mmCIF file with all atom_site columns, all heavy atoms in Angstrom:
data_model
loop_
_atom_site.group_PDB
_atom_site.id
_atom_site.type_symbol
_atom_site.label_atom_id
_atom_site.label_alt_id
_atom_site.label_comp_id
_atom_site.label_asym_id
_atom_site.label_entity_id
_atom_site.label_seq_id
_atom_site.pdbx_PDB_ins_code
_atom_site.Cartn_x
_atom_site.Cartn_y
_atom_site.Cartn_z
_atom_site.occupancy
_atom_site.B_iso_or_equiv
_atom_site.pdbx_formal_charge
_atom_site.auth_seq_id
_atom_site.auth_comp_id
_atom_site.auth_asym_id
_atom_site.auth_atom_id
_atom_site.pdbx_PDB_model_num
ATOM 1  N N   . PRO A 1 611 ? -5.014 38.362 -84.691 1.00 0.00 ? 611 PRO A N   1
ATOM 2  C CA  . PRO A 1 611 ? -6.216 39.194 -84.562 1.00 0.00 ? 611 PRO A CA  1
ATOM 3  C C   . PRO A 1 611 ? -6.665 39.811 -85.885 1.00 0.00 ? 611 PRO A C   1
ATOM 4  O O   . PRO A 1 611 ? -7.839 40.148 -86.042 1.00 0.00 ? 611 PRO A O   1
ATOM 5  C CB  . PRO A 1 611 ? -5.776 40.282 -83.569 1.00 0.00 ? 611 PRO A CB  1
ATOM 6  C CG  . PRO A 1 611 ? -4.729 39.618 -82.750 1.00 0.00 ? 611 PRO A CG  1
ATOM 7  C CD  . PRO A 1 611 ? -3.994 38.732 -83.703 1.00 0.00 ? 611 PRO A CD  1
ATOM 8  N N   . GLU A 1 612 ? -5.724 39.956 -86.849 1.00 0.00 ? 612 GLU A N   1
ATOM 9  C CA  . GLU A 1 612 ? -6.091 40.515 -88.138 1.00 0.00 ? 612 GLU A CA  1
ATOM 10 C C   . GLU A 1 612 ? -6.519 39.453 -89.135 1.00 0.00 ? 612 GLU A C   1
ATOM 11 O O   . GLU A 1 612 ? -6.804 39.748 -90.294 1.00 0.00 ? 612 GLU A O   1
ATOM 12 C CB  . GLU A 1 612 ? -4.909 41.314 -88.731 1.00 0.00 ? 612 GLU A CB  1
ATOM 13 C CG  . GLU A 1 612 ? -4.650 42.641 -88.020 1.00 0.00 ? 612 GLU A CG  1
ATOM 14 C CD  . GLU A 1 612 ? -3.952 42.445 -86.688 1.00 0.00 ? 612 GLU A CD  1
ATOM 15 O OE1 . GLU A 1 612 ? -3.299 41.400 -86.512 1.00 0.00 ? 612 GLU A OE1 1
ATOM 16 O OE2 . GLU A 1 612 ? -4.067 43.329 -85.836 1.00 0.00 ? 612 GLU A OE2 1
ATOM 17 N N   . GLY A 1 613 ? -6.518 38.165 -88.710 1.00 0.00 ? 613 GLY A N   1
ATOM 18 C CA  . GLY A 1 613 ? -6.981 37.095 -89.580 1.00 0.00 ? 613 GLY A CA  1
ATOM 19 C C   . GLY A 1 613 ? -5.907 36.399 -90.374 1.00 0.00 ? 613 GLY A C   1
ATOM 20 O O   . GLY A 1 613 ? -6.223 35.577 -91.241 1.00 0.00 ? 613 GLY A O   1
ATOM 21 N N   . HIS A 1 614 ? -4.634 36.674 -90.116 1.00 0.00 ? 614 HIS A N   1
ATOM 22 C CA  . HIS A 1 614 ? -3.552 36.029 -90.849 1.00 0.00 ? 614 HIS A CA  1
ATOM 23 C C   . HIS A 1 614 ? -3.233 34.674 -90.224 1.00 0.00 ? 614 HIS A C   1
ATOM 24 O O   . HIS A 1 614 ? -3.290 34.494 -89.001 1.00 0.00 ? 614 HIS A O   1
ATOM 25 C CB  . HIS A 1 614 ? -2.291 36.906 -90.839 1.00 0.00 ? 614 HIS A CB  1
ATOM 26 C CG  . HIS A 1 614 ? -2.508 38.282 -91.382 1.00 0.00 ? 614 HIS A CG  1
ATOM 27 N ND1 . HIS A 1 614 ? -2.957 38.525 -92.653 1.00 0.00 ? 614 HIS A ND1 1
ATOM 28 C CD2 . HIS A 1 614 ? -2.332 39.508 -90.807 1.00 0.00 ? 614 HIS A CD2 1
ATOM 29 C CE1 . HIS A 1 614 ? -3.051 39.821 -92.857 1.00 0.00 ? 614 HIS A CE1 1
ATOM 30 N NE2 . HIS A 1 614 ? -2.693 40.444 -91.740 1.00 0.00 ? 614 HIS A NE2 1
ATOM 31 N N   . ASP A 1 615 ? -2.866 33.704 -91.067 1.00 0.00 ? 615 ASP A N   1
ATOM 32 C CA  . ASP A 1 615 ? -2.461 32.395 -90.567 1.00 0.00 ? 615 ASP A CA  1
ATOM 33 C C   . ASP A 1 615 ? -1.033 32.478 -90.036 1.00 0.00 ? 615 ASP A C   1
ATOM 34 O O   . ASP A 1 615 ? -0.119 32.912 -90.738 1.00 0.00 ? 615 ASP A O   1
ATOM 35 C CB  . ASP A 1 615 ? -2.534 31.353 -91.688 1.00 0.00 ? 615 ASP A CB  1
ATOM 36 C CG  . ASP A 1 615 ? -3.980 31.034 -92.084 1.00 0.00 ? 615 ASP A CG  1
ATOM 37 O OD1 . ASP A 1 615 ? -4.839 31.065 -91.182 1.00 0.00 ? 615 ASP A OD1 1
ATOM 38 O OD2 . ASP A 1 615 ? -4.233 30.760 -93.268 1.00 0.00 ? 615 ASP A OD2 1
ATOM 39 N N   . ILE A 1 616 ? -0.853 32.051 -88.801 1.00 0.00 ? 616 ILE A N   1
ATOM 40 C CA  . ILE A 1 616 ? 0.458  32.100 -88.144 1.00 0.00 ? 616 ILE A CA  1
ATOM 41 C C   . ILE A 1 616 ? 0.833  30.685 -87.714 1.00 0.00 ? 616 ILE A C   1
ATOM 42 O O   . ILE A 1 616 ? 0.084  30.019 -86.989 1.00 0.00 ? 616 ILE A O   1
ATOM 43 C CB  . ILE A 1 616 ? 0.444  33.019 -86.915 1.00 0.00 ? 616 ILE A CB  1
ATOM 44 C CG1 . ILE A 1 616 ? 0.054  34.444 -87.315 1.00 0.00 ? 616 ILE A CG1 1
ATOM 45 C CG2 . ILE A 1 616 ? 1.792  32.998 -86.206 1.00 0.00 ? 616 ILE A CG2 1
ATOM 46 C CD1 . ILE A 1 616 ? 1.061  35.141 -88.183 1.00 0.00 ? 616 ILE A CD1 1
ATOM 47 N N   . ALA A 1 617 ? 2.009  30.214 -88.145 1.00 0.00 ? 617 ALA A N   1
ATOM 48 C CA  . ALA A 1 617 ? 2.500  28.893 -87.758 1.00 0.00 ? 617 ALA A CA  1
ATOM 49 C C   . ALA A 1 617 ? 3.566  29.051 -86.678 1.00 0.00 ? 617 ALA A C   1
ATOM 50 O O   . ALA A 1 617 ? 4.376  29.978 -86.713 1.00 0.00 ? 617 ALA A O   1
ATOM 51 C CB  . ALA A 1 617 ? 3.081  28.170 -88.962 1.00 0.00 ? 617 ALA A CB  1
ATOM 52 N N   . PHE A 1 618 ? 3.555  28.146 -85.705 1.00 0.00 ? 618 PHE A N   1
ATOM 53 C CA  . PHE A 1 618 ? 4.582  28.171 -84.656 1.00 0.00 ? 618 PHE A CA  1
ATOM 54 C C   . PHE A 1 618 ? 4.741  26.779 -84.090 1.00 0.00 ? 618 PHE A C   1
ATOM 55 O O   . PHE A 1 618 ? 3.955  25.870 -84.367 1.00 0.00 ? 618 PHE A O   1
ATOM 56 C CB  . PHE A 1 618 ? 4.203  29.161 -83.551 1.00 0.00 ? 618 PHE A CB  1
ATOM 57 C CG  . PHE A 1 618 ? 3.032  28.729 -82.698 1.00 0.00 ? 618 PHE A CG  1
ATOM 58 C CD1 . PHE A 1 618 ? 3.235  28.099 -81.477 1.00 0.00 ? 618 PHE A CD1 1
ATOM 59 C CD2 . PHE A 1 618 ? 1.728  28.942 -83.123 1.00 0.00 ? 618 PHE A CD2 1
ATOM 60 C CE1 . PHE A 1 618 ? 2.167  27.700 -80.703 1.00 0.00 ? 618 PHE A CE1 1
ATOM 61 C CE2 . PHE A 1 618 ? 0.661  28.547 -82.358 1.00 0.00 ? 618 PHE A CE2 1
ATOM 62 C CZ  . PHE A 1 618 ? 0.874  27.922 -81.137 1.00 0.00 ? 618 PHE A CZ  1
ATOM 63 N N   . ILE A 1 619 ? 5.789  26.609 -83.310 1.00 0.00 ? 619 ILE A N   1
ATOM 64 C CA  . ILE A 1 619 ? 6.085  25.334 -82.659 1.00 0.00 ? 619 ILE A CA  1
ATOM 65 C C   . ILE A 1 619 ? 5.936  25.495 -81.160 1.00 0.00 ? 619 ILE A C   1
ATOM 66 O O   . ILE A 1 619 ? 6.451  26.457 -80.584 1.00 0.00 ? 619 ILE A O   1
ATOM 67 C CB  . ILE A 1 619 ? 7.512  24.854 -83.005 1.00 0.00 ? 619 ILE A CB  1
ATOM 68 C CG1 . ILE A 1 619 ? 7.642  24.633 -84.522 1.00 0.00 ? 619 ILE A CG1 1
ATOM 69 C CG2 . ILE A 1 619 ? 7.858  23.584 -82.252 1.00 0.00 ? 619 ILE A CG2 1
ATOM 70 C CD1 . ILE A 1 619 ? 9.050  24.307 -84.967 1.00 0.00 ? 619 ILE A CD1 1
ATOM 71 N N   . VAL A 1 620 ? 5.212  24.584 -80.520 1.00 0.00 ? 620 VAL A N   1
ATOM 72 C CA  . VAL A 1 620 ? 5.042  24.641 -79.066 1.00 0.00 ? 620 VAL A CA  1
ATOM 73 C C   . VAL A 1 620 ? 6.427  24.507 -78.424 1.00 0.00 ? 620 VAL A C   1
ATOM 74 O O   . VAL A 1 620 ? 7.130  23.521 -78.671 1.00 0.00 ? 620 VAL A O   1
ATOM 75 C CB  . VAL A 1 620 ? 4.108  23.524 -78.573 1.00 0.00 ? 620 VAL A CB  1
ATOM 76 C CG1 . VAL A 1 620 ? 3.976  23.580 -77.052 1.00 0.00 ? 620 VAL A CG1 1
ATOM 77 C CG2 . VAL A 1 620 ? 2.739  23.646 -79.237 1.00 0.00 ? 620 VAL A CG2 1
#
Side-chain angles (χ1 to χ4, degrees):
E612 288 76 23
H614 304 301
D615 290 326
I616 301 293
F618 70 97
I619 299 174
V620 178

